[in-house]
Amino acid sequence: QVQLVESGGRSVQAGDSLSLSCAVSGGTSDRYTMAWFRQAPGKEREFVAALSPFGYRTFYADSVKGRFSMSGNNARNTMYLRMSSLKPEDTAVYFCAAKGSWSDSSYYQSNFYDTWGQGTQVAVSS
């Protein structure tokens, strides 16, 4: 089973760009569904983006579509979430998640994933 470590979170201004990284170790991540979720204070964890096994397809939450981009390096040992035009409502702890399978009906649900990183804090001020 893979292990995940996020990094890159910090405080930024509205309209800024920021890239988060998720270091993947302990397995062949190209066989995994990889995803980003976020959780704001007092709110449930919500889906941000997902990358299907072997990178064939990428999916985004409507709230970030056109502003965020998820990708992986060639070795797929690092996953990225590139965020632009950040808004105060993007403030949250961002988590990287992994699952060793794919499901069209479940990839956006947090309980689909069995491996999580510790999270990295993103704060966007107006």
Side-chain angles (χ1 to χ4, degrees), residues 49-94:
L51 185 64
S52 65
F54 303 101
Y56 289 147
R57 294 182 289 174
T58 311
F59 299 83
Y60 298 96
D62 287 344
S63 59
V64 306
K65 200 171 293 183
R67 300 189 298 122
F68 289 14
S69 176
M70 180 177 181
S71 63
N73 62 356
N74 287 339
R76 278 200 59 164
N77 54 16
T78 305
M79 307 302 296
Y80 303 101
L81 184 68
R82 295 181 171 86
M83 307 181 291
S84 62
S85 302
L86 283 162
K87 305 175 182 179
E89 50 264 44
D90 294 319
T91 294
V93 178
Y94 283 72

Side-chain angles (χ1 to χ4, degrees), residues 7 67 71 102 121:
S7 62
R67 300 189 298 122
S71 63
W102 171 258
Q121 175 73 54

